[in-house]
Amino acid sequence: MADRPRRGARAAFRSWRARRPFWGGLLLALAGGEILLTEKASLKVVMHIGMQGLAGYLLPTLMALLGLLVLFNPAQRLFYSITGVLLSLGTWMTSNLGGFFVGLLLGVTGSCLAFGWLPDQEPRVSRRKRRRQARAAALAPADGAEGTAA
């Protein structure tokens, strides 16, 4: 344990984030929160709350919950993302046109990102590391070729 280098909080968070559809879950949760905030708007701004307000509060609450579930249980992301996109589209009728289109678009985008996430992909290599590797690969054959020519 003393041999292992200590990792900072940022590196630990980045490795946690890489193992789940982070942006999809975050956008879906933010969409639910945004739609809930538009429900609390003044009555001059509120356009439409369906079924005496119950569905207007229920759908965005479920969207926020699904966003958190995508983050903390990525194995079930397909079910959560399909349900999330259906709930997002349902807010069109029940919650101020889906939070004045902002929450609706965030929810659909987040659900699509979560649906398209592939868990078996290798982590992305940063641009700096790719450039270093390319430079090292370009220099290595040139050094080896000069040594064999002499």
Side-chain angles (χ1 to χ4, degrees), residues 68-86:
L68 293 174
L69 285 171
V70 165
L71 287 176
F72 294 108
N73 187 12
Q76 299 296 321
R77 73 187 186 288
L78 296 176
F79 173 73
Y80 298 147
S81 61
I82 291 171
T83 307
V85 81
L86 291 176

Side-chain angles (χ1 to χ4, degrees), residues 58-146:
L58 183 65
L59 269 63
T61 303
L62 288 174
M63 285 172 58
L65 179 67
L66 286 172
L68 293 174
L69 285 171
V70 165
L71 287 176
F72 294 108
N73 187 12
Q76 299 296 321
R77 73 187 186 288
L78 296 176
F79 173 73
Y80 298 147
S81 61
I82 291 171
T83 307
V85 81
L86 291 176
L87 289 174
S88 297
L89 293 174
T91 60
W92 170 265
M93 298 298 291
T94 62
S95 304
N96 290 336
L97 298 175
F100 304 112
F101 299 110
V102 175
L104 177 103
L105 292 175
L106 282 175
V108 169
T109 304
S111 295
C112 290
L113 285 173
F115 186 83
W117 180 75
L118 296 174
D120 297 334
Q121 280 185 327
E122 291 186 22
R124 292 180 57 186
V125 177
S126 71
R127 213 177 265 160
R128 262 188 215 149
K129 286 182 182 177
R130 283 189 305 233
R131 286 181 188 155
R132 270 192 229 131
Q133 290 171 352
R135 275 191 233 124
L139 292 176
D143 293 338
E146 289 174 7

